[in-house]
Amino acid sequence: MLGIVRHARASAPGYPALCRAFSSASSLISTASAAALVGQPGVRFIDVRDPRIFDAGHVAGAANAIEFFSYLATSTPVGVNHLARTFERVLTEKGVLTTDRLITYEDSMRGMYGASCRGWYLLR
């Protein structure tokens, strides 16, 4: 498992409240460090893999958000705003709170091409 701690960037214009609420701190963490956080209050694991793979097995309590791999947006102000609203909706529907520490993960860098890294980047 690859773990990436995310916190969203608050400075992007048009970012909705959920995205603005995340702090700017971010870092890579080891598998052992991530494992120690499973089940901890205020920590949510975001599995970016295909829902079929997620259903076959995932970190306990993780939310599945393949949108970090599949969603495409333009870099225009309208596109950035749509991206922010889309991920606010996706994460809110999955029960993610503005106070949660999110850890995005996947099972390898093959196939998903670093979608967990993309998740971190989109939410930083």
Side-chain angles (χ1 to χ4, degrees):
M1 176 176 79
L2 303 173
I4 299 178
V5 177
R6 92 58 223 105
H7 304 292
R9 179 177 54 200
S11 61
Y15 266 54
L18 182 68
C19 292
R20 284 195 303 269
F22 298 128
S23 79
S24 61
S26 61
S27 63
L28 295 173
I29 62 172
S30 69
T31 301
S33 295
L37 294 171
V38 172
Q40 294 294 315
V43 176
R44 289 297 304 270
F45 284 79
I46 306 297
D47 186 318
V48 300
R49 300 174 302 158
D50 183 284
R52 295 169 296 188
I53 297 170
F54 175 82
D55 288 343
H58 55 270
V59 171
N64 183 236
I66 194 170
E67 293 84 357
F68 284 113
F69 176 70
S70 62
Y71 181 83
L72 297 175
T74 62
S75 59
T76 66
V78 170
V80 170
N81 185 279
H82 189 266
L83 177 139
R85 287 184 288 118
T86 297
F87 282 102
E88 179 175 39
R89 178 187 50 76
V90 166
L91 294 174
T92 299
E93 288 174 357
K94 295 176 186 307
V96 174
L97 304 174
T98 59
T99 55
D100 286 341
R101 177 181 184 190
L102 301 184
I103 300 174
T104 60
Y105 75 93
E106 59 195 287
D107 57 356
S108 75
M109 297 297 274
R110 296 182 314 273
M112 295 299 291
Y113 306 101
S116 59
C117 301
R118 186 171 191 249
W120 168 84
Y121 182 81
L122 291 173
L123 292 174
R124 66 183 174 85

